Amino acid sequence: MLSADHRLTRPTSFRHAVKAGRRAGGRNLVTHLAVAEGQADEPARVGFVVSRAVGNAVVRNRVKRRLRHAARARISLLPGGTLLVVRAQPPAAAASYEELAAELDRCLGRSLEVSSDISTDISTVGSGRVER
């Protein structure tokens, strides 16, 4: 679970991230990332939007849990003061954790325009795979 200081809860913050943030999308989700200038001392915050189009309450909650878990592993890679809104698309209902995490990595990589060595770090964080 995300700690309280990393949660995006105010509707105005959601609106700001969606309007001012960089949008990146895929089949299962869309991200809006607003990087705040000069707020490096504040923590990055993440919010989730999972509409009824994704499925019933059980499915929506499962998708939110998977996205929260994936975001928690990646929050330390975001600059301070960043607002991230993750919106699930209807196909996310059938996606596994690994698929959602990989798509979140791709979207974050495109939004941050990171160098190749940092994008490698993003793609290996919290992949959910167990090494044998």
Side-chain angles (χ1 to χ4, degrees):
M1 185 157 173
L2 286 172
S3 62
D5 56 339
H6 289 295
R7 289 187 210 136
L8 193 59
T9 57
R10 295 178 182 240
T12 55
S13 298
F14 274 88
R15 267 186 246 120
H16 174 71
V18 170
K19 289 186 179 190
R22 302 188 99 197
R23 181 185 182 278
R27 181 175 185 271
N28 297 316
L29 54 95
V30 175
T31 61
H32 300 273
L33 184 74
V35 179
E37 299 296 325
Q39 295 182 357
D41 56 337
E42 292 185 23
R45 294 182 297 161
V46 182
F48 302 95
V49 178
V50 184
S51 73
R52 287 187 194 170
V54 174
N56 64 21
V58 173
V59 173
R60 291 193 310 267
N61 286 329
R62 181 175 54 233
V63 170
K64 278 190 275 191
R65 280 194 310 271
R66 288 176 177 173
L67 289 173
R68 262 196 313 265
H69 184 73
R72 182 181 61 192
R74 290 149 183 83
I75 195 119
S76 63
L77 301 173
L78 298 176
T82 299
L83 303 178
L84 173 65
V85 173
V86 180
R87 184 168 39 96
Q89 301 286 55
S96 67
Y97 169 77
E98 290 81 14
E99 292 169 332
L100 292 173
E103 193 153 340
L104 182 61
D105 289 337
R106 278 192 303 276
C107 290
L108 286 176
R110 282 190 298 218
S111 293
L112 290 171
E113 295 181 347
V114 293
S115 65
S116 61
D117 56 336
I118 295 175
S119 64
T120 303
D121 290 343
I122 288 174
S123 65
T124 59
V125 172
S127 65
R129 295 194 179 112
V130 178
E131 299 295 325
R132 296 190 190 259

